[in-house]
Structures are given as structure tokens and as C-alpha cells.
Amino acid sequence: MIIIAIDGPAAAGKGTLAKRLAATLNLPYLDTGLLYRATAKLVLEAGGNPADHETATAAARALTEADAARADLRDMATSKAASQVASIPAVRAALLAYQRAYANANGAVLDGRDIGTVIFPHADVKLFVTASVEARAKRRQAEFIAKGEHIPLADVIADVAARDEADRRRTASPLIPAEDAILIDTTTLNADEAFLRAMEEVKKKQAIFSREKMAPKGTS
Ligand code: DC
């Protein structure tokens, strides 16, 4: 059973890497951003204010797996509201147990902002995936274009930069690399290269596990 924590800013390539690692290692994958997005969606749909602590916390507590599995959680309004609900400590607290239980059942790859720092500070492998704001905004814009939404690059850059800023500055579980996280910069690495770099770390950990298993009891 292995737990892999992948953190980093928006559109850095965390999801692509996490899915590939999960498929390769036969592990479940949890995109924890969807929990915040789904919470935000519940609030918006009820006509509530995502910055209101009580409303957002009640939504987080009421969240179901079906809410987080919805296909309409990636629009810009939901993204902005997700960043707002994510800054509320009681919302984060309400979503914590689910994330831990999910990964503790069979191991998992989780991606988010605070997986290696707060949710699983003892994760077996911690990766911090990042890229320049321009590179990330271009990728996000391409995703929008693929869905038929043409948003000017300058607007996407402004949106990505504003969310990064909010995620980094908040006091509750801010976006920061864990001290022992391996940095993967996808400005210059393509998806294959990022995957190979991540697998190097996984293999190192697996080698340690198998050495520990082979060692006779009482030795270290
Ligand atoms: O990764 P994403 O863009 O889907 O995340 C949506 C928002 O939720 C984003 O503003 C960051 C926040 N988030 C968080 O605070 N902690 C996480 N573990 C995952 C996402």
C-alpha cells in the first residue's frame, strides 16, 4: 500500500501525472480539487455566497460522492468559488476525513494543494508539480478551447495568477511545497518526462520497502 501526494498550482499537470501514476501502479486516484469545486457548486446553485463560512461549511458537510463526480465543475465561476470555499478552515476540516479514509483503504494517488503538508504529511512519495504561469494558462486555455469556449489568454493568465495568489496567501493550509517534496517543473518537462521523473522516486521508495521486507526481524 503506497500513498503518493501530488501538490502544486492550477494547471501545472498534476492531474495528468496523477492519473498516469495511478494507472501504472494500479492505485485509486483522487482529484481533491473536485471536493472544493463540488462544495462551491452546491453553494452557487443554492444562490449562496461561497465566501460565507457557514454556508460553505454546511455544503462541505453535505457533500456526496455523486456531487464530486459531476462533469460540470470546471467552469471559471466554479473555479473562483472553489478557491473561496477552500480558504475557509471549517470547509477544509469537513473534507479532511474523507480524503484520509479514501487513501488509507487501499493506498492512492491524491492531487491537490495540501496533500503532502496536511492531509498526508507521511505520504510515501511527495511531488510538487509546478510550471510558469504562462505555460499553465496556455494549457488551461487549450482545455477551454477543446470544450468550445474561447477565452483570451490574458484573461486566463489573470484568472490562474489570481487563484495561485489566493491559494498561496490563505492561512488555512496554504499552497507550499512540503519540505521533503520532489519538485517537478513542467515548464520544460513534457508529460512523459514528468512521469519518468516521478517513477524514479516511486521506484526508490519501492526498493526501500522491499529491503525492509527482506530484512530479518530485529535488524534495521
Ligand atoms: O486543483 P483545482 O484547480 O481543481 O482546485 C480547485 C480549488 O480548490 C483551487 O482554488 C485550490 C483548491 N484546493 C485546495 O485548496 N486544496 C486541495 N487539496 C485541492 C484544491
Side-chain angles (χ1 to χ4, degrees), residues 6-11 14 31-37 73-74 78-87 92 99 111-115 119 140 163-164 166-167 170 172-175:
I6 306 185
D7 292 304
K14 301 186 298 291
D31 173 352
T32 64
L34 289 177
L35 304 175
Y36 296 92
R37 288 174 178 275
L73 300 175
R74 299 206 176 270
T78 309
S79 302
K80 182 165 180 263
S83 185
Q84 290 175 299
V85 303
S87 71
R92 308 196 69 86
Q99 297 173 68
D111 77 38
R113 304 293 188 285
D114 62 341
I115 309 302
I119 308 294
R140 210 16 73 92
R163 286 211 292 132
D164 286 355
D167 291 339
R170 68 178 181 224
S173 309
L175 169 66

Side-chain angles (χ1 to χ4, degrees), residues 7-210:
D7 292 304
K14 301 186 298 291
T16 306
L17 176 61
K19 277 183 215 145
R20 193 157 164 193
L21 286 174
T24 306
L25 300 165
N26 202 16
L27 286 171
Y29 162 54
L30 182 64
D31 173 352
T32 64
L34 289 177
L35 304 175
Y36 296 92
R37 288 174 178 275
T39 301
K41 196 76 169 182
L42 287 184
V43 174
L44 293 176
E45 283 184 343
N49 174 4
D52 180 72
H53 287 214
E54 268 180 38
T55 313
T57 307
R61 289 189 182 139
L63 202 70
T64 66
E65 285 192 13
D67 294 324
R70 288 171 56 158
D72 60 350
L73 300 175
R74 299 206 176 270
D75 58 283
M76 280 175 99
T78 309
S79 302
K80 182 165 180 263
S83 185
Q84 290 175 299
V85 303
S87 71
I88 301 171
V91 166
R92 308 196 69 86
L95 300 175
L96 186 140
Y98 175 78
Q99 297 173 68
R100 287 197 178 149
Y102 181 95
N104 280 330
N106 294 300
V109 181
L110 301 96
D111 77 38
R113 304 293 188 285
D114 62 341
I115 309 302
T117 49
V118 175
I119 308 294
F120 282 107
H122 302 296
D124 301 298
V125 176
K126 294 186 193 177
L127 307 171
F128 193 86
V129 182
T130 188
S132 70
V133 70
E134 290 78 14
R136 293 185 289 116
K138 277 188 189 151
R139 279 182 214 144
R140 210 16 73 92
Q141 188 195 35
E143 287 167 20
F144 284 128
I145 290 173
K147 288 191 285 183
E149 289 175 56
H150 290 264
I151 301 171
L153 185 61
D155 290 3
V156 187
I157 290 180
D159 177 63
V160 166
R163 286 211 292 132
D164 286 355
E165 190 63 6
D167 291 339
R168 287 201 178 100
R169 279 172 167 245
R170 68 178 181 224
T171 44
S173 309
L175 169 66
I176 37 160
E179 269 177 23
D180 49 351
I182 304 296
L183 198 76
I184 296 184
D185 188 335
T186 62
T187 317
T188 47
L189 295 184
N190 65 30
D192 287 342
E193 291 165 335
F195 171 72
L196 290 175
R197 178 71 192 90
M199 279 303 288
E200 273 176 36
E201 292 307 312
V202 172
K203 284 181 185 153
K204 270 190 219 164
K205 202 71 200 197
Q206 285 173 328
I208 295 172
F209 284 158
S210 58

